[in-house]
Amino acid sequence: MENYPILFPSSTSFHPPRLSLSPSDRISNSQVFLGLQDESNVPASHASRENEGNPSKKEKKVRKPRYAFRTRSQIDILDDGYRWRKYGQKAVKNSRFPRSYYRCTHQGCDVKKQVQRMCMDESIVMTTYEGVHSHPVEKPSDNFEDILNQMQIYSSFQ
DNA sequence: CGCGTTTGACCGGCGC
DNA sequence: GCGCCGGTCAAACGCG
């Protein structure tokens, strides 16, 4: 899972999610790597496997685009302005740090993201977004532009 | 009280 | 066919 093909959609106006930190933390030393995975092989999850009397129902195999963000930061929880609910955590192979699974709590918005640290460099946190938000951001991260301005965005895996 | 986290179990896919 | 592995569920717990 460490080999995300990191590509940057240069031709389109790509809107990265809002990245903000707690007021006590500085993101000035952060580096953000943007990666785009189109139509990746997401097994589309058996959304609700407790179909009471309807087991023959075949859930649609939705494959949402995945966007990988590698952020160099001291903290691993990046508040992008959306409301996330953690729904799982698993140990990652080749890494002594766990991976956390989050889901957007907005109704009808099943955007998921997972956060994990890099095995080689624990100061780098990789956040993978899956899906697109279809609702406005609630939290007013006004300094978002400021924060993004301080980051360096690379177009390729270095 | 309402909502988010924690944590072990569970499920489906895939490789051997 | 079996066992590993990555991802998800869900009940209990914690916190504001």
PDB file of all heavy atoms in Angstrom, chain C residues 2-15:
ATOM      1  P    DC C   2     -11.373 -26.750   3.878  1.00  0.00           P
ATOM      2  OP1  DC C   2     -11.460 -27.978   4.685  1.00  0.00           O
ATOM      3  OP2  DC C   2     -12.531 -25.821   3.798  1.00  0.00           O
ATOM      4  O5'  DC C   2     -10.104 -25.925   4.390  1.00  0.00           O
ATOM      5  C5'  DC C   2      -8.800 -26.435   4.125  1.00  0.00           C
ATOM      6  C4'  DC C   2      -7.754 -25.346   4.368  1.00  0.00           C
ATOM      7  O4'  DC C   2      -7.681 -24.487   3.204  1.00  0.00           O
ATOM      8  C3'  DC C   2      -8.055 -24.438   5.557  1.00  0.00           C
ATOM      9  O3'  DC C   2      -6.859 -24.231   6.278  1.00  0.00           O
ATOM     10  C2'  DC C   2      -8.556 -23.149   4.908  1.00  0.00           C
ATOM     11  C1'  DC C   2      -7.742 -23.126   3.619  1.00  0.00           C
ATOM     12  N1   DC C   2      -8.373 -22.347   2.526  1.00  0.00           N
ATOM     13  C2   DC C   2      -7.594 -21.484   1.762  1.00  0.00           C
ATOM     14  O2   DC C   2      -6.387 -21.379   2.011  1.00  0.00           O
ATOM     15  N3   DC C   2      -8.183 -20.779   0.766  1.00  0.00           N
ATOM     16  C4   DC C   2      -9.485 -20.917   0.518  1.00  0.00           C
ATOM     17  N4   DC C   2     -10.019 -20.209  -0.473  1.00  0.00           N
ATOM     18  C5   DC C   2     -10.298 -21.792   1.281  1.00  0.00           C
ATOM     19  C6   DC C   2      -9.710 -22.480   2.264  1.00  0.00           C
ATOM     20  P    DG C   3      -6.942 -23.805   7.807  1.00  0.00           P
ATOM     21  OP1  DG C   3      -6.337 -24.870   8.628  1.00  0.00           O
ATOM     22  OP2  DG C   3      -8.305 -23.316   8.117  1.00  0.00           O
ATOM     23  O5'  DG C   3      -5.947 -22.552   7.827  1.00  0.00           O
ATOM     24  C5'  DG C   3      -4.753 -22.611   7.067  1.00  0.00           C
ATOM     25  C4'  DG C   3      -4.310 -21.204   6.662  1.00  0.00           C
ATOM     26  O4'  DG C   3      -5.125 -20.749   5.555  1.00  0.00           O
ATOM     27  C3'  DG C   3      -4.462 -20.159   7.766  1.00  0.00           C
ATOM     28  O3'  DG C   3      -3.304 -19.344   7.777  1.00  0.00           O
ATOM     29  C2'  DG C   3      -5.700 -19.365   7.338  1.00  0.00           C
ATOM     30  C1'  DG C   3      -5.579 -19.437   5.829  1.00  0.00           C
ATOM     31  N9   DG C   3      -6.836 -19.239   5.120  1.00  0.00           N
ATOM     32  C8   DG C   3      -8.054 -19.781   5.444  1.00  0.00           C
ATOM     33  N7   DG C   3      -9.009 -19.430   4.622  1.00  0.00           N
ATOM     34  C5   DG C   3      -8.384 -18.603   3.705  1.00  0.00           C
ATOM     35  C6   DG C   3      -8.913 -17.914   2.584  1.00  0.00           C
ATOM     36  O6   DG C   3     -10.072 -17.921   2.171  1.00  0.00           O
ATOM     37  N1   DG C   3      -7.927 -17.191   1.932  1.00  0.00           N
ATOM     38  C2   DG C   3      -6.609 -17.130   2.299  1.00  0.00           C
ATOM     39  N2   DG C   3      -5.811 -16.375   1.557  1.00  0.00           N
ATOM     40  N3   DG C   3      -6.106 -17.762   3.351  1.00  0.00           N
ATOM     41  C4   DG C   3      -7.042 -18.472   3.996  1.00  0.00           C
ATOM     42  P    DC C   4      -3.026 -18.424   9.018  1.00  0.00           P
ATOM     43  OP1  DC C   4      -1.829 -18.965   9.705  1.00  0.00           O
ATOM     44  OP2  DC C   4      -4.285 -18.210   9.770  1.00  0.00           O
ATOM     45  O5'  DC C   4      -2.616 -17.066   8.303  1.00  0.00           O
ATOM     46  C5'  DC C   4      -1.719 -17.106   7.198  1.00  0.00           C
ATOM     47  C4'  DC C   4      -1.983 -15.934   6.256  1.00  0.00           C
ATOM     48  O4'  DC C   4      -3.285 -16.080   5.643  1.00  0.00           O
ATOM     49  C3'  DC C   4      -1.992 -14.562   6.948  1.00  0.00           C
ATOM     50  O3'  DC C   4      -1.225 -13.678   6.160  1.00  0.00           O
ATOM     51  C2'  DC C   4      -3.465 -14.164   6.952  1.00  0.00           C
ATOM     52  C1'  DC C   4      -3.954 -14.830   5.681  1.00  0.00           C
ATOM     53  N1   DC C   4      -5.410 -15.107   5.661  1.00  0.00           N
ATOM     54  C2   DC C   4      -6.189 -14.550   4.646  1.00  0.00           C
ATOM     55  O2   DC C   4      -5.641 -13.841   3.800  1.00  0.00           O
ATOM     56  N3   DC C   4      -7.525 -14.801   4.632  1.00  0.00           N
ATOM     57  C4   DC C   4      -8.071 -15.576   5.575  1.00  0.00           C
ATOM     58  N4   DC C   4      -9.382 -15.796   5.502  1.00  0.00           N
ATOM     59  C5   DC C   4      -7.295 -16.148   6.611  1.00  0.00           C
ATOM     60  C6   DC C   4      -5.977 -15.887   6.621  1.00  0.00           C
ATOM     61  P    DC C   5      -0.623 -12.383   6.838  1.00  0.00           P
ATOM     62  OP1  DC C   5       0.788 -12.281   6.408  1.00  0.00           O
ATOM     63  OP2  DC C   5      -0.983 -12.414   8.268  1.00  0.00           O
ATOM     64  O5'  DC C   5      -1.459 -11.225   6.150  1.00  0.00           O
ATOM     65  C5'  DC C   5      -1.875 -11.369   4.790  1.00  0.00           C
ATOM     66  C4'  DC C   5      -2.891 -10.292   4.433  1.00  0.00           C
ATOM     67  O4'  DC C   5      -4.231 -10.852   4.480  1.00  0.00           O
ATOM     68  C3'  DC C   5      -2.913  -9.083   5.376  1.00  0.00           C
ATOM     69  O3'  DC C   5      -3.097  -7.918   4.608  1.00  0.00           O
ATOM     70  C2'  DC C   5      -4.115  -9.352   6.251  1.00  0.00           C
ATOM     71  C1'  DC C   5      -5.056 -10.007   5.245  1.00  0.00           C
ATOM     72  N1   DC C   5      -6.122 -10.827   5.863  1.00  0.00           N
ATOM     73  C2   DC C   5      -7.398 -10.831   5.289  1.00  0.00           C
ATOM     74  O2   DC C   5      -7.594 -10.162   4.282  1.00  0.00           O
ATOM     75  N3   DC C   5      -8.369 -11.586   5.864  1.00  0.00           N
ATOM     76  C4   DC C   5      -8.103 -12.286   6.952  1.00  0.00           C
ATOM     77  N4   DC C   5      -9.082 -13.009   7.483  1.00  0.00           N
ATOM     78  C5   DC C   5      -6.814 -12.290   7.559  1.00  0.00           C
ATOM     79  C6   DC C   5      -5.854 -11.546   6.982  1.00  0.00           C
ATOM     80  P    DG C   6      -2.505  -6.554   5.124  1.00  0.00           P
ATOM     81  OP1  DG C   6      -1.202  -6.338   4.496  1.00  0.00           O
ATOM     82  OP2  DG C   6      -2.638  -6.542   6.598  1.00  0.00           O
ATOM     83  O5'  DG C   6      -3.538  -5.486   4.548  1.00  0.00           O
ATOM     84  C5'  DG C   6      -4.007  -5.627   3.217  1.00  0.00           C
ATOM     85  C4'  DG C   6      -5.483  -5.266   3.131  1.00  0.00           C
ATOM     86  O4'  DG C   6      -6.283  -6.274   3.796  1.00  0.00           O
ATOM     87  C3'  DG C   6      -5.838  -3.935   3.791  1.00  0.00           C
ATOM     88  O3'  DG C   6      -6.648  -3.200   2.891  1.00  0.00           O
ATOM     89  C2'  DG C   6      -6.627  -4.329   5.039  1.00  0.00           C
ATOM     90  C1'  DG C   6      -7.232  -5.667   4.629  1.00  0.00           C
ATOM     91  N9   DG C   6      -7.458  -6.574   5.744  1.00  0.00           N
ATOM     92  C8   DG C   6      -6.571  -6.892   6.734  1.00  0.00           C
ATOM     93  N7   DG C   6      -7.043  -7.745   7.605  1.00  0.00           N
ATOM     94  C5   DG C   6      -8.329  -7.998   7.155  1.00  0.00           C
ATOM     95  C6   DG C   6      -9.332  -8.847   7.677  1.00  0.00           C
ATOM     96  O6   DG C   6      -9.277  -9.554   8.689  1.00  0.00           O
ATOM     97  N1   DG C   6     -10.487  -8.817   6.920  1.00  0.00           N
ATOM     98  C2   DG C   6     -10.652  -8.060   5.791  1.00  0.00           C
ATOM     99  N2   DG C   6     -11.832  -8.156   5.179  1.00  0.00           N
ATOM    100  N3   DG C   6      -9.735  -7.273   5.282  1.00  0.00           N
ATOM    101  C4   DG C   6      -8.594  -7.284   6.009  1.00  0.00           C
ATOM    102  P    DG C   7      -7.011  -1.700   3.230  1.00  0.00           P
ATOM    103  OP1  DG C   7      -6.996  -0.923   1.987  1.00  0.00           O
ATOM    104  OP2  DG C   7      -6.219  -1.270   4.393  1.00  0.00           O
ATOM    105  O5'  DG C   7      -8.537  -1.853   3.694  1.00  0.00           O
ATOM    106  C5'  DG C   7      -9.493  -2.329   2.751  1.00  0.00           C
ATOM    107  C4'  DG C   7     -10.812  -2.606   3.436  1.00  0.00           C
ATOM    108  O4'  DG C   7     -10.651  -3.657   4.391  1.00  0.00           O
ATOM    109  C3'  DG C   7     -11.418  -1.424   4.185  1.00  0.00           C
ATOM    110  O3'  DG C   7     -12.752  -1.246   3.752  1.00  0.00           O
ATOM    111  C2'  DG C   7     -11.357  -1.846   5.651  1.00  0.00           C
ATOM    112  C1'  DG C   7     -11.429  -3.351   5.528  1.00  0.00           C
ATOM    113  N9   DG C   7     -10.881  -4.073   6.669  1.00  0.00           N
ATOM    114  C8   DG C   7      -9.628  -3.941   7.208  1.00  0.00           C
ATOM    115  N7   DG C   7      -9.424  -4.721   8.232  1.00  0.00           N
ATOM    116  C5   DG C   7     -10.610  -5.415   8.367  1.00  0.00           C
ATOM    117  C6   DG C   7     -10.989  -6.412   9.310  1.00  0.00           C
ATOM    118  O6   DG C   7     -10.325  -6.886  10.234  1.00  0.00           O
ATOM    119  N1   DG C   7     -12.285  -6.858   9.096  1.00  0.00           N
ATOM    120  C2   DG C   7     -13.111  -6.397   8.107  1.00  0.00           C
ATOM    121  N2   DG C   7     -14.331  -6.937   8.060  1.00  0.00           N
ATOM    122  N3   DG C   7     -12.771  -5.472   7.224  1.00  0.00           N
ATOM    123  C4   DG C   7     -11.511  -5.032   7.415  1.00  0.00           C
ATOM    124  P    DT C   8     -13.591  -0.021   4.289  1.00  0.00           P
ATOM    125  OP1  DT C   8     -14.382   0.452   3.147  1.00  0.00           O
ATOM    126  OP2  DT C   8     -12.715   0.892   5.029  1.00  0.00           O
ATOM    127  O5'  DT C   8     -14.608  -0.720   5.317  1.00  0.00           O
ATOM    128  C5'  DT C   8     -15.496  -1.710   4.824  1.00  0.00           C
ATOM    129  C4'  DT C   8     -16.279  -2.320   5.965  1.00  0.00           C
ATOM    130  O4'  DT C   8     -15.389  -2.999   6.851  1.00  0.00           O
ATOM    131  C3'  DT C   8     -17.075  -1.319   6.816  1.00  0.00           C
ATOM    132  O3'  DT C   8     -18.417  -1.755   6.894  1.00  0.00           O
ATOM    133  C2'  DT C   8     -16.382  -1.364   8.164  1.00  0.00           C
ATOM    134  C1'  DT C   8     -15.823  -2.775   8.173  1.00  0.00           C
ATOM    135  N1   DT C   8     -14.663  -2.971   9.061  1.00  0.00           N
ATOM    136  C2   DT C   8     -14.738  -3.920  10.047  1.00  0.00           C
ATOM    137  O2   DT C   8     -15.732  -4.603  10.228  1.00  0.00           O
ATOM    138  N3   DT C   8     -13.618  -4.036  10.827  1.00  0.00           N
ATOM    139  C4   DT C   8     -12.445  -3.312  10.713  1.00  0.00           C
ATOM    140  O4   DT C   8     -11.523  -3.514  11.462  1.00  0.00           O
ATOM    141  C5   DT C   8     -12.429  -2.338   9.647  1.00  0.00           C
ATOM    142  C7   DT C   8     -11.215  -1.503   9.433  1.00  0.00           C
ATOM    143  C6   DT C   8     -13.522  -2.220   8.885  1.00  0.00           C
ATOM    144  P    DC C   9     -19.494  -0.781   7.504  1.00  0.00           P
ATOM    145  OP1  DC C   9     -20.573  -0.646   6.522  1.00  0.00           O
ATOM    146  OP2  DC C   9     -18.844   0.421   8.063  1.00  0.00           O
ATOM    147  O5'  DC C   9     -20.015  -1.675   8.712  1.00  0.00           O
ATOM    148  C5'  DC C   9     -20.048  -3.067   8.540  1.00  0.00           C
ATOM    149  C4'  DC C   9     -20.377  -3.764   9.846  1.00  0.00           C
ATOM    150  O4'  DC C   9     -19.164  -3.986  10.608  1.00  0.00           O
ATOM    151  C3'  DC C   9     -21.320  -2.993  10.762  1.00  0.00           C
ATOM    152  O3'  DC C   9     -22.224  -3.912  11.343  1.00  0.00           O
ATOM    153  C2'  DC C   9     -20.398  -2.393  11.807  1.00  0.00           C
ATOM    154  C1'  DC C   9     -19.293  -3.444  11.891  1.00  0.00           C
ATOM    155  N1   DC C   9     -17.965  -2.887  12.263  1.00  0.00           N
ATOM    156  C2   DC C   9     -17.204  -3.506  13.254  1.00  0.00           C
ATOM    157  O2   DC C   9     -17.661  -4.495  13.831  1.00  0.00           O
ATOM    158  N3   DC C   9     -15.993  -3.003  13.566  1.00  0.00           N
ATOM    159  C4   DC C   9     -15.529  -1.925  12.918  1.00  0.00           C
ATOM    160  N4   DC C   9     -14.323  -1.468  13.249  1.00  0.00           N
ATOM    161  C5   DC C   9     -16.297  -1.280  11.891  1.00  0.00           C
ATOM    162  C6   DC C   9     -17.499  -1.789  11.603  1.00  0.00           C
ATOM    163  P    DA C  10     -23.611  -3.399  11.887  1.00  0.00           P
ATOM    164  OP1  DA C  10     -24.622  -4.402  11.517  1.00  0.00           O
ATOM    165  OP2  DA C  10     -23.804  -1.976  11.549  1.00  0.00           O
ATOM    166  O5'  DA C  10     -23.353  -3.511  13.457  1.00  0.00           O
ATOM    167  C5'  DA C  10     -22.640  -4.626  13.958  1.00  0.00           C
ATOM    168  C4'  DA C  10     -22.263  -4.394  15.421  1.00  0.00           C
ATOM    169  O4'  DA C  10     -20.955  -3.786  15.493  1.00  0.00           O
ATOM    170  C3'  DA C  10     -23.204  -3.445  16.178  1.00  0.00           C
ATOM    171  O3'  DA C  10     -23.328  -3.891  17.508  1.00  0.00           O
ATOM    172  C2'  DA C  10     -22.472  -2.124  16.116  1.00  0.00           C
ATOM    173  C1'  DA C  10     -21.033  -2.597  16.242  1.00  0.00           C
ATOM    174  N9   DA C  10     -20.086  -1.651  15.685  1.00  0.00           N
ATOM    175  C8   DA C  10     -20.319  -0.694  14.739  1.00  0.00           C
ATOM    176  N7   DA C  10     -19.259   0.013  14.431  1.00  0.00           N
ATOM    177  C5   DA C  10     -18.268  -0.518  15.237  1.00  0.00           C
ATOM    178  C6   DA C  10     -16.913  -0.218  15.387  1.00  0.00           C
ATOM    179  N6   DA C  10     -16.312   0.745  14.700  1.00  0.00           N
ATOM    180  N1   DA C  10     -16.201  -0.945  16.276  1.00  0.00           N
ATOM    181  C2   DA C  10     -16.826  -1.902  16.967  1.00  0.00           C
ATOM    182  N3   DA C  10     -18.090  -2.278  16.901  1.00  0.00           N
ATOM    183  C4   DA C  10     -18.764  -1.536  16.006  1.00  0.00           C
ATOM    184  P    DA C  11     -24.748  -3.686  18.214  1.00  0.00           P
ATOM    185  OP1  DA C  11     -25.607  -4.791  17.749  1.00  0.00           O
ATOM    186  OP2  DA C  11     -25.192  -2.285  18.109  1.00  0.00           O
ATOM    187  O5'  DA C  11     -24.356  -3.966  19.738  1.00  0.00           O
ATOM    188  C5'  DA C  11     -23.473  -5.035  20.052  1.00  0.00           C
ATOM    189  C4'  DA C  11     -22.492  -4.603  21.128  1.00  0.00           C
ATOM    190  O4'  DA C  11     -21.466  -3.770  20.529  1.00  0.00           O
ATOM    191  C3'  DA C  11     -23.119  -3.771  22.258  1.00  0.00           C
ATOM    192  O3'  DA C  11     -22.610  -4.211  23.500  1.00  0.00           O
ATOM    193  C2'  DA C  11     -22.678  -2.352  21.956  1.00  0.00           C
ATOM    194  C1'  DA C  11     -21.348  -2.569  21.260  1.00  0.00           C
ATOM    195  N9   DA C  11     -21.003  -1.514  20.308  1.00  0.00           N
ATOM    196  C8   DA C  11     -21.827  -0.896  19.410  1.00  0.00           C
ATOM    197  N7   DA C  11     -21.228   0.005  18.684  1.00  0.00           N
ATOM    198  C5   DA C  11     -19.921  -0.017  19.123  1.00  0.00           C
ATOM    199  C6   DA C  11     -18.782   0.718  18.751  1.00  0.00           C
ATOM    200  N6   DA C  11     -18.780   1.651  17.801  1.00  0.00           N
ATOM    201  N1   DA C  11     -17.629   0.443  19.403  1.00  0.00           N
ATOM    202  C2   DA C  11     -17.627  -0.491  20.350  1.00  0.00           C
ATOM    203  N3   DA C  11     -18.631  -1.237  20.787  1.00  0.00           N
ATOM    204  C4   DA C  11     -19.765  -0.949  20.129  1.00  0.00           C
ATOM    205  P    DA C  12     -23.272  -3.696  24.844  1.00  0.00           P
ATOM    206  OP1  DA C  12     -23.638  -4.898  25.627  1.00  0.00           O
ATOM    207  OP2  DA C  12     -24.274  -2.638  24.561  1.00  0.00           O
ATOM    208  O5'  DA C  12     -22.010  -3.014  25.543  1.00  0.00           O
ATOM    209  C5'  DA C  12     -20.730  -3.603  25.392  1.00  0.00           C
ATOM    210  C4'  DA C  12     -19.656  -2.574  25.708  1.00  0.00           C
ATOM    211  O4'  DA C  12     -19.459  -1.706  24.566  1.00  0.00           O
ATOM    212  C3'  DA C  12     -19.983  -1.664  26.889  1.00  0.00           C
ATOM    213  O3'  DA C  12     -18.859  -1.551  27.732  1.00  0.00           O
ATOM    214  C2'  DA C  12     -20.329  -0.337  26.237  1.00  0.00           C
ATOM    215  C1'  DA C  12     -19.449  -0.366  24.993  1.00  0.00           C
ATOM    216  N9   DA C  12     -19.950   0.451  23.896  1.00  0.00           N
ATOM    217  C8   DA C  12     -21.230   0.518  23.419  1.00  0.00           C
ATOM    218  N7   DA C  12     -21.387   1.350  22.414  1.00  0.00           N
ATOM    219  C5   DA C  12     -20.119   1.864  22.213  1.00  0.00           C
ATOM    220  C6   DA C  12     -19.620   2.796  21.293  1.00  0.00           C
ATOM    221  N6   DA C  12     -20.364   3.397  20.368  1.00  0.00           N
ATOM    222  N1   DA C  12     -18.304   3.096  21.368  1.00  0.00           N
ATOM    223  C2   DA C  12     -17.550   2.499  22.304  1.00  0.00           C
ATOM    224  N3   DA C  12     -17.911   1.597  23.219  1.00  0.00           N
ATOM    225  C4   DA C  12     -19.227   1.322  23.119  1.00  0.00           C
ATOM    226  P    DC C  13     -19.020  -0.891  29.168  1.00  0.00           P
ATOM    227  OP1  DC C  13     -18.463  -1.843  30.152  1.00  0.00           O
ATOM    228  OP2  DC C  13     -20.387  -0.361  29.314  1.00  0.00           O
ATOM    229  O5'  DC C  13     -18.019   0.340  29.057  1.00  0.00           O
ATOM    230  C5'  DC C  13     -16.808   0.184  28.344  1.00  0.00           C
ATOM    231  C4'  DC C  13     -16.325   1.542  27.840  1.00  0.00           C
ATOM    232  O4'  DC C  13     -17.109   1.953  26.701  1.00  0.00           O
ATOM    233  C3'  DC C  13     -16.454   2.664  28.872  1.00  0.00           C
ATOM    234  O3'  DC C  13     -15.173   3.194  29.133  1.00  0.00           O
ATOM    235  C2'  DC C  13     -17.366   3.695  28.197  1.00  0.00           C
ATOM    236  C1'  DC C  13     -17.205   3.353  26.726  1.00  0.00           C
ATOM    237  N1   DC C  13     -18.372   3.745  25.883  1.00  0.00           N
ATOM    238  C2   DC C  13     -18.208   4.670  24.848  1.00  0.00           C
ATOM    239  O2   DC C  13     -17.095   5.161  24.647  1.00  0.00           O
ATOM    240  N3   DC C  13     -19.280   5.025  24.092  1.00  0.00           N
ATOM    241  C4   DC C  13     -20.463   4.473  24.333  1.00  0.00           C
ATOM    242  N4   DC C  13     -21.479   4.830  23.558  1.00  0.00           N
ATOM    243  C5   DC C  13     -20.657   3.529  25.381  1.00  0.00           C
ATOM    244  C6   DC C  13     -19.597   3.193  26.125  1.00  0.00           C
ATOM    245  P    DG C  14     -14.971   4.233  30.357  1.00  0.00           P
ATOM    246  OP1  DG C  14     -13.887   3.677  31.155  1.00  0.00           O
ATOM    247  OP2  DG C  14     -16.288   4.556  30.978  1.00  0.00           O
ATOM    248  O5'  DG C  14     -14.449   5.557  29.622  1.00  0.00           O
ATOM    249  C5'  DG C  14     -14.369   5.578  28.200  1.00  0.00           C
ATOM    250  C4'  DG C  14     -13.978   6.954  27.690  1.00  0.00           C
ATOM    251  O4'  DG C  14     -14.957   7.376  26.700  1.00  0.00           O
ATOM    252  C3'  DG C  14     -13.974   8.060  28.731  1.00  0.00           C
ATOM    253  O3'  DG C  14     -13.083   9.076  28.310  1.00  0.00           O
ATOM    254  C2'  DG C  14     -15.426   8.535  28.714  1.00  0.00           C
ATOM    255  C1'  DG C  14     -15.783   8.392  27.232  1.00  0.00           C
ATOM    256  N9   DG C  14     -17.172   8.004  27.002  1.00  0.00           N
ATOM    257  C8   DG C  14     -17.907   7.095  27.706  1.00  0.00           C
ATOM    258  N7   DG C  14     -19.133   6.947  27.268  1.00  0.00           N
ATOM    259  C5   DG C  14     -19.201   7.824  26.195  1.00  0.00           C
ATOM    260  C6   DG C  14     -20.288   8.119  25.328  1.00  0.00           C
ATOM    261  O6   DG C  14     -21.411   7.634  25.332  1.00  0.00           O
ATOM    262  N1   DG C  14     -19.939   9.069  24.382  1.00  0.00           N
ATOM    263  C2   DG C  14     -18.705   9.664  24.292  1.00  0.00           C
ATOM    264  N2   DG C  14     -18.557  10.559  23.318  1.00  0.00           N
ATOM    265  N3   DG C  14     -17.692   9.408  25.092  1.00  0.00           N
ATOM    266  C4   DG C  14     -18.011   8.480  26.016  1.00  0.00           C
ATOM    267  P    DC C  15     -12.655  10.232  29.305  1.00  0.00           P
ATOM    268  OP1  DC C  15     -11.177  10.228  29.315  1.00  0.00           O
ATOM    269  OP2  DC C  15     -13.425  10.097  30.567  1.00  0.00           O
ATOM    270  O5'  DC C  15     -13.150  11.547  28.566  1.00  0.00           O
ATOM    271  C5'  DC C  15     -13.071  11.633  27.148  1.00  0.00           C
ATOM    272  C4'  DC C  15     -13.967  12.747  26.620  1.00  0.00           C
ATOM    273  O4'  DC C  15     -15.299  12.224  26.369  1.00  0.00           O
ATOM    274  C3'  DC C  15     -14.144  13.926  27.587  1.00  0.00           C
ATOM    275  O3'  DC C  15     -14.049  15.129  26.855  1.00  0.00           O
ATOM    276  C2'  DC C  15     -15.551  13.719  28.141  1.00  0.00           C
ATOM    277  C1'  DC C  15     -16.248  13.105  26.941  1.00  0.00           C
ATOM    278  N1   DC C  15     -17.448  12.315  27.280  1.00  0.00           N
ATOM    279  C2   DC C  15     -18.616  12.460  26.509  1.00  0.00           C
ATOM    280  O2   DC C  15     -18.606  13.243  25.562  1.00  0.00           O
ATOM    281  N3   DC C  15     -19.713  11.725  26.834  1.00  0.00           N
ATOM    282  C4   DC C  15     -19.670  10.888  27.861  1.00  0.00           C
ATOM    283  N4   DC C  15     -20.767  10.191  28.131  1.00  0.00           N
ATOM    284  C5   DC C  15     -18.503  10.730  28.667  1.00  0.00           C
ATOM    285  C6   DC C  15     -17.418  11.460  28.335  1.00  0.00           C
TER     286       DC C  15
END
